[in-house]
Amino acid sequence: MYISHAILYFFIYAFLGWCLEVSYAAFRKRKFINRGLLSGVLCPVYGLAMVFMLVFFETLKGRLFFLFLGCFIVISVFEFATGTLLEKFFGRKCWDYTKYRDHIGTYVSVRFSLIWTVLAVLVIQLLHPLLESLMARMPMLAGRILALVLLVIFALDIVITVMTLCKMKIQNEMLLEIAKGLKKLSRGLDNAITKRVERRMEKVFPSLEDVEEERQRRREEKEAKKRIFAYGCGFYKLFWLFFLGAFLGDIIETIFCYATTGRLMSRSSVVYGPFSLVWGLGIAFFTLLLHRYQSKNDRYLFLLGTVLGGAYEYICSVFTELMFGTVFWDYSKIPFNLGGRINLLYCFFWGFAAVIWMKGLYPKLSKWIERVPIKAGKVISWMALAFMVFNVAMSGLALSRYTARHNGLMPENQVEAFIDEHFQDARMEQIYPNAIMR
């Protein structure tokens, strides 16, 4: 799939998603309601989810059960992640499914996920082939220009929307201060007019005491951030969870492989050091999504970990194959596998890992990270980040040349010649013993 085509598909499906949301709202409310977060006629989460499924589920077309299962998981994860991130950054809930008995958290409802999944499968099987044939007839230059224009308009819409949300947040805080002042004035003067205003303001802000508690909590968090390194679940905390998770994940996989196969082999994702990026990114991402649910029961966390872990591992497998032309693991010999990319047993491992991580390891590790001195912690964090960025970049170059050499391509510049000299096939096969060329 060309990048320009992927961009156009994003806008097509984002528009169709907007139409679907507006139609549903109009049916329920009997009036037009713009359900999109942006000003334009787009619901980006639909576009992103559909393009994602088209790219990563290409091999599942025609296998309806697995396609349905994959779409259900992706749609649920996208909805959960989008709602969580929007609330985290803007302090606003764009939708809430807690009134439905089948809700998972706040942002996912099984009934709605099933509806979206059925529609997604129908689109992939029936509508998208038609769009592909139409897209193939479009001149490449015209497609690129159209994609660029739409991206510019979309970016402007995002900027305007973010500025508006930030402005509304400031205005809401000012209104809360005004409402609080009016309530104090009413208590002091016992004026009937002020009481009337107070009652009206209380309809807008039902509990000023709750608002004050929330403001006090934010002030305490702000003060704690000044005193504690990596407070909460912010950038520094997530980076160190990624770094330590990548290291521990590599060690765990190495021990597991030695115990089951009797072979001591590298399980690293990078050329320098024992780091498994799949584990590191997974731990950081899952922690960001699940840290608020760590008080839930073990079965809840196990189910979420199993589903999210399986989806995450499948996506990583497809992504690395698309990027580097290399398969880093193949489960085709293990029962209950899906295309050799994931299998049921390892999905259960993700579920157990989620419970162990959120209930046992994460709280303790979080406290240890927060004990690091602030200045030293920040300096070490940026040094570690620079090392990891360099490590990932070198690994990407080495893998690209490894694949190119396998296809008989000679180095075209000094950088590629340097890579060939320092990362020969023997070294790459030692670092990635299970890599399979495609």
Side-chain angles (χ1 to χ4, degrees):
M1 184 187 298
Y2 295 109
I3 294 178
S4 59
H5 287 180
I7 294 172
L8 293 176
Y9 288 142
F10 162 77
F11 284 108
I12 291 171
Y13 290 119
F15 171 71
L16 292 177
W18 179 86
C19 293
L20 185 64
E21 288 281 349
V22 169
S23 300
Y24 177 74
F27 175 77
R28 294 196 62 188
K29 304 292 185 180
R30 305 302 182 193
K31 63 180 180 179
F32 174 81
I33 300 175
N34 187 352
R35 295 275 293 175
L37 179 63
L38 302 176
S39 302
V41 290
L42 296 174
C43 281
V45 66
Y46 284 86
L48 285 173
M50 280 305 305
V51 171
F52 189 90
M53 289 184 286
L54 290 170
V55 172
F56 287 92
F57 293 160
E58 177 68 27
T59 58
L60 298 183
K61 286 184 178 179
R63 305 173 66 183
L64 291 181
F65 174 77
F66 291 112
L67 180 62
F68 184 90
L69 181 62
C71 290
F72 176 80
I73 293 171
V74 167
I75 287 169
S76 300
V77 171
F78 260 80
E79 204 167 20
F80 182 78
T82 302
T84 301
L85 292 174
L86 286 175
E87 182 182 357
K88 182 176 181 62
F89 287 110
F90 299 114
R92 300 172 66 87
K93 290 185 177 181
C94 296
W95 62 90
D96 188 349
Y97 291 133
T98 53
K99 63 182 179 181
Y100 298 102
R101 296 184 62 182
D102 60 351
H103 73 91
I104 302 174
T106 302
Y107 299 111
V108 177
S109 168
V110 174
R111 71 183 70 182
F112 284 105
S113 292
L114 288 173
I115 293 172
W116 307 146
T117 300
V118 171
L119 292 175
V121 171
L122 291 175
V123 167
I124 292 173
Q125 293 291 119
L126 302 177
L127 177 61
H128 189 71
L130 177 61
L131 290 177
E132 275 187 319
S133 63
L134 295 175
M135 199 73 70
R137 299 177 183 178
M138 179 184 295
M140 183 62 67
L141 180 59
R144 290 177 178 175
I145 293 174
L146 179 60
L148 181 60
V149 171
L150 291 174
L151 278 177
V152 171
I153 297 174
F154 181 61
L156 290 174
D157 197 354
I158 290 176
V159 171
I160 293 172
T161 300
V162 170
M163 291 175 63
T164 303
L165 287 172
C166 292
K167 183 179 178 181
M168 289 174 63
K169 188 174 181 180
I170 294 173
Q171 288 176 342
N172 286 340
E173 291 180 356
M174 293 174 63
L175 286 172
L176 289 173
E177 287 292 340
I178 294 172
K180 182 181 175 182
L182 285 172
K183 187 167 185 178
K184 288 182 178 179
L185 183 62
S186 173
R187 287 173 179 172
L189 299 177
D190 197 23
N191 187 290
I193 298 176
T194 311
K195 280 183 174 293
R196 184 176 301 173
V197 175
E198 178 188 330
R199 286 194 296 270
R200 183 171 61 83
M201 296 300 289
E202 285 180 343
K203 291 180 180 179
V204 181
F205 308 103
S207 178
L208 291 175
E209 287 76 10
D210 291 344
V211 171
E212 180 58 31
E213 289 178 4
E214 177 65 19
R215 291 173 64 83
Q216 180 63 27
R217 185 186 65 81
R218 291 181 182 178
R219 282 195 292 266
E220 291 174 356
E221 285 187 355
K222 189 174 181 180
E223 291 298 321
K225 287 180 181 179
K226 296 178 181 179
R227 301 190 308 269
I228 301 174
F229 172 69
Y231 178 81
C233 198
F235 168 75
Y236 290 108
K237 179 69 65 61
L238 291 174
F239 170 73
W240 280 109
L241 292 177
F242 157 75
F243 195 90
L244 296 173
F247 174 75
L248 294 175
D250 183 275
I251 300 301
I252 291 171
E253 283 207 23
T254 301
I255 295 173
F256 178 78
C257 287
Y258 182 75
T260 54
T261 65
R263 295 176 56 197
L264 190 63
M265 66 179 74
S266 169
R267 302 297 294 174
S268 178
S269 305
V270 289
V271 294
Y272 299 118
F275 298 102
S276 175
L277 299 183
V278 173
W279 278 86
L281 291 172
I283 284 175
F285 182 66
F286 291 163
T287 302
L288 177 63
L289 293 182
L290 300 179
H291 74 278
R292 65 174 63 189
Y293 302 110
Q294 65 185 100
S295 60
K296 293 281 189 178
N297 62 54
D298 293 352
R299 288 175 295 178
Y300 186 91
L301 290 174
F302 175 80
L303 179 60
L304 283 179
T306 300
V307 174
L308 292 175
Y312 173 71
E313 192 171 11
Y314 185 94
I315 290 165
C316 288
S317 175
V318 177
F319 177 79
T320 52
E321 184 177 342
L322 291 175
M323 285 294 294
F324 306 113
T326 305
V327 177
F328 290 93
W329 60 85
D330 186 358
Y331 301 137
S332 56
K333 295 181 180 179
I334 300 178
F336 305 106
N337 74 86
L338 179 56
R341 302 186 187 279
I342 60 174
N343 69 83
L344 187 60
L345 176 62
Y346 286 9
C347 287
F348 287 157
F349 283 173
W350 281 105
F352 287 119
V355 176
I356 295 171
W357 175 254
M358 296 307 302
K359 293 291 188 179
L361 297 179
Y362 168 66
K364 295 179 180 179
L365 193 59
S366 177
K367 291 180 180 179
W368 291 345
I369 294 173
E370 290 176 356
R371 291 175 183 173
V372 176
I374 295 178
K375 291 184 179 180
K378 290 183 177 180
V379 171
I380 296 172
S381 296
W382 286 105
M383 291 175 61
L385 177 61
F387 162 72
M388 191 58 73
V389 170
F390 173 76
N391 200 357
V392 171
M394 290 298 295
S395 302
L397 292 172
L399 284 167
S400 296
R401 282 303 303 156
Y402 182 44
T403 304
R405 290 196 301 271
H406 183 267
N407 295 326
L409 300 178
M410 300 299 293
E412 298 180 354
N413 51 57
Q414 292 183 347
V415 174
E416 293 184 351
F418 174 85
I419 295 295
D420 284 357
E421 181 181 354
H422 290 80
F423 297 97
Q424 299 176 1
D425 289 354
R427 183 177 179 184
M428 295 299 291
E429 289 167 4
Q430 183 179 7
I431 298 173
Y432 305 109
N434 294 321
I436 302 173
M437 296 296 174
R438 290 283 174 89

